[in-house]
Amino acid sequence: MKRKIYATLLAFTAVALGAMAAVSGNVRTENVSFSRGGGKINVNADIVLDSLTLKNNQQIFMTPVLSGESDSIALPTVLITGRGMHYAYERGTMRGLKEYRRKYDIMREVRRDNGRSQMVDYTASAPFAPWMRTERLSIQFRYDTCGCGVFAGSGVGPSTDTTFNPVPAMRVAYITPKVTDLPVSIHEGSARVQFEVDKTVLHDSVYHARSGQRIDNRQQLKIIYDSIAYALTDPNAEIAKIEIIGYASPESPYEHNKELASGRSRALAEYIGKYVGRKYNIDKNVTSFDAVPENWVEFREQVVNAKDITEQQRQDLLALIDRPAFGAADYDAKEKELKTDPKFRDLYRTKILPQWFPHLRATKFRISTRLKPLADPQLAEVIKTAPEKMSLNQMMRVARLYPEGSAEFDKVIDTALRYYPSDEEANLNAAVSAIRGGNYDRAAALLDKAGDSPEAVNARAVVLAHNGDFDAARRLLETIPLLPEAQKNLNLLLD
């Protein structure tokens, strides 16, 4: 009995040693491919045995292994056997078969027909797992002759790579900023255009009033003319608005001053409107006017800067000027006090009225210019030298002159962000460019300031997917079903 057991052990050892012996020739794989569907990952390959020779008691376990960044999985195994092993497998008498089946998921056994061309068509599937959404998913067939387990064997040929990460195929969308008023450049100045006492008629040539007053506005009007000409030195600029603000001094009743300042401002605005219409062919309605009935602000500045009054006089005048006024009566009371109060009346008669007040009767003007309507190629030249004059919409029009993702396109997008750093649309478009360039950290920071438009929500979902949070990405995309890019991305995550 003992002799029989010993003989059996010797026989098993011989079989095992035979199985571990080096086989003649090699196995190779061809046409390895991946596919995905129905919640599974499918692998197809051709296992070519043409140069392989197996002895009767030899076998090879061929097992494809899928590997990602964080995990791996062995797919079902093909067992290739020599003639004797084949019959033992069919009869269920192969020694160690129970242990082999514990180590391998044997899907198929194939007898090697030595000396003949032979190919095994391999097809297998495995449940698709989240870790398979990796930048690099690879497959390599493991070659094992001893039955020691999948990972005890060696690889057959190079690994084949693919990816089921949806992020590279996910889409992001730029947004075309809405058309808005163009930025304006402001040119400000001041001219002391004179009017006849208690009159609102503007004289543009030398005029002698009946009172003996001589009025010569030629030089003061030239200041305004020159300012308009300077504002238009840029050939791409046009006048957007000319604002005239007339100031009167705090003498005479407030309501009278209000009427006088308003009438004089209107007269100058209408005159300048006719001038620009005639000289520059600009709509005369670009001019507007406003009036400050009594120029207490600059009166205060005169008092603060005066060198020839006492400190007590300065303090008394400032107290009067700073006293709250809630209407015409309060302003008239201040003026009366200047004329009659012993603290002020001599100073009013000798300095304030004849020397200070005439300088308060000024006209201030503000000239606003903007870009003329320009074709997109012209705007492409403007953005090189004066991007501050362009709107976001114009900048995006320039960007569209170039292919998306090109250096020229991205440069315009960056310029838009530089000049509109708080604008949601500028931040979104810069984030989209960052995503397309693979800079997801920058994209995430920009999206914090990009608002909640569908395009911004979609871009955030793409960033989440890149970071591996596919569930959060899916939830976001489900909130914006009307955006085509979002629907495409959602389908990629649900596939």
Side-chain angles (χ1 to χ4, degrees):
M1 183 68 173
K2 289 182 180 180
R3 185 177 300 163
K4 183 177 181 180
I5 294 173
Y6 181 68
T8 301
L9 287 173
L10 285 176
F12 178 79
T13 302
V15 169
L17 288 173
M20 290 187 289
V23 299
S24 174
N26 58 60
V27 180
R28 70 178 189 275
T29 55
E30 295 179 350
N31 303 319
V32 180
S33 64
F34 298 83
S35 63
R36 184 182 165 200
K40 293 184 177 182
I41 183 169
N42 307 302
V43 175
N44 293 279
D46 295 331
I47 303 173
V48 182
L49 310 178
D50 294 359
S51 62
L52 176 68
T53 300
L54 288 182
K55 296 178 181 179
N56 278 344
N57 61 346
Q58 288 184 316
Q59 77 231 345
I60 297 175
F61 296 88
M62 291 288 291
T63 309
V65 176
L66 281 170
S67 300
E69 294 176 0
S70 61
D71 213 337
S72 62
I73 184 174
L75 272 68
T77 299
V78 172
L79 173 60
I80 303 168
T81 57
R83 182 173 179 275
M85 281 291 189
H86 167 69
Y87 290 120
Y89 181 84
E90 280 191 337
R91 295 167 184 157
T93 59
M94 176 187 281
R95 295 184 183 278
L97 182 59
K98 183 176 181 181
E99 183 67 14
Y100 293 155
R101 285 175 172 164
R102 186 183 67 80
K103 294 178 180 178
Y104 305 92
D105 177 14
I106 301 174
M107 62 176 290
R108 182 179 178 186
E109 183 267 341
V110 176
R111 172 188 165 183
R112 172 62 181 127
D113 197 357
N114 291 330
R116 296 188 179 184
S117 297
Q118 189 175 4
M119 184 183 72
V120 179
D121 181 13
Y122 182 90
T123 300
S125 300
F128 188 84
W131 64 264
M132 295 178 184
R133 288 193 177 105
T134 180
E135 295 290 340
R136 178 176 175 270
L137 185 67
S138 64
I139 186 170
Q140 186 179 44
F141 277 77
R142 306 293 295 183
Y143 174 103
D144 171 23
T145 60
C146 70
C148 302
V150 173
F151 295 98
S154 57
V156 175
S159 63
T160 301
D161 297 340
T162 191
T163 180
F164 290 106
N165 184 352
V167 176
M170 293 180 82
R171 298 179 181 177
V172 284
Y174 292 98
I175 194 167
T176 299
K178 55 187 174 292
V179 177
T180 59
D181 291 337
L182 293 176
V184 295
S185 299
I186 304 296
H187 309 267
E188 294 184 305
S190 177
R192 299 194 181 279
V193 178
Q194 291 181 297
F195 288 86
E196 189 177 355
V197 175
D198 277 346
K199 301 293 184 180
T200 60
V201 177
L202 176 68
H203 298 286
D204 59 358
S205 59
V206 179
Y207 176 79
H208 294 276
R210 288 184 179 182
S211 64
Q213 180 186 12
R214 182 180 184 275
I215 297 174
D216 185 358
N217 285 322
R218 290 175 298 178
Q219 186 60 36
Q220 298 304 308
L221 290 174
K222 187 176 186 301
I223 292 174
I224 302 176
Y225 300 156
D226 290 347
S227 296
I228 294 171
Y230 176 78
L232 292 174
T233 52
D234 182 350
N236 293 320
E238 66 177 7
I239 298 289
K241 185 185 294 185
I242 301 175
E243 300 168 89
I244 302 295
I245 306 173
Y247 294 80
S249 60
E251 61 178 297
S252 300
Y254 184 89
E255 291 297 337
H256 176 71
N257 288 336
K258 180 178 180 181
E259 182 179 347
L260 203 60
S262 180
R264 290 173 174 175
S265 298
R266 180 194 296 272
L268 181 57
E270 290 176 350
Y271 179 85
I272 296 300
K274 291 178 182 177
Y275 169 78
V276 296
R278 187 170 58 250
K279 176 78 172 179
Y280 298 103
N281 195 29
I282 297 173
D283 187 345
K284 64 181 181 180
N285 293 322
V286 298
T287 58
S288 65
F289 71 94
D290 199 357
V292 178
E294 295 184 355
N295 194 354
W296 289 90
V297 172
E298 290 193 2
F299 181 28
R300 191 182 196 285
E301 293 175 2
Q302 289 175 326
V303 172
V304 170
N305 297 321
K307 306 295 185 184
D308 51 356
I309 62 175
T310 67
E311 191 58 34
Q312 186 60 52
Q313 287 174 320
R314 191 188 323 277
Q315 296 305 318
D316 290 341
L317 282 169
L318 291 176
L320 172 69
I321 293 169
D322 293 340
R323 191 169 70 206
F326 301 102
D330 293 329
Y331 287 111
D332 289 343
K334 288 187 180 186
E335 182 203 353
K336 182 178 180 181
E337 194 170 334
L338 279 173
K339 294 178 179 179
T340 61
D341 192 307
K343 293 185 294 186
F344 307 121
R345 63 189 178 194
D346 289 341
L347 186 63
Y348 180 82
R349 186 179 65 255
T350 60
K351 186 176 292 294
I352 296 175
L353 183 61
Q355 297 179 26
W356 291 1
F357 275 8
H359 292 282
L360 302 181
R361 302 163 195 151
T363 301
K364 294 186 178 180
F365 56 88
R366 181 184 296 114
I367 303 166
S368 302
T369 61
R370 65 188 172 204
L371 285 177
K372 295 176 181 177
L374 298 173
D376 294 351
Q378 293 173 293
L379 290 173
E381 294 302 314
V382 172
I383 202 171
K384 296 175 183 177
T385 57
E388 72 279 358
K389 296 181 179 180
M390 296 176 61
S391 69
L392 271 177
N393 177 271
Q394 289 176 318
M395 290 183 178
M396 195 61 185
R397 284 164 50 191
V398 171
R400 296 290 189 193
L401 295 174
Y402 310 107
E404 286 187 9
S406 66
E408 295 86 354
F409 183 95
D410 289 342
K411 183 177 180 180
V412 176
I413 296 299
D414 287 342
T415 299
L417 181 64
R418 188 163 68 253
Y419 283 89
Y420 294 90
S422 300
D423 187 272
E424 292 180 352
E425 294 172 335
N427 277 276
L428 169 63
N429 286 339
V432 170
S433 284
I435 289 172
R436 291 172 67 99
N439 192 342
Y440 287 88
D441 289 341
R442 182 169 189 261
L446 290 167
L447 287 171
D448 286 341
K449 299 180 288 183
D452 294 312
S453 66
E455 291 82 359
V457 174
N458 177 67
R460 291 191 186 99
V462 174
V463 172
L464 285 170
H466 169 78
N467 293 334
D469 197 344
F470 298 104
D471 289 338
R474 175 183 52 76
R475 289 193 295 270
L476 276 185
L477 293 170
E478 287 172 346
T479 67
I480 47 172
L482 299 182
L483 185 70
E485 290 81 3
Q487 189 59 52
K488 166 70 174 178
N489 296 339
L490 184 60
N491 290 338
L492 288 171
L493 294 180
L494 295 176
D495 184 18

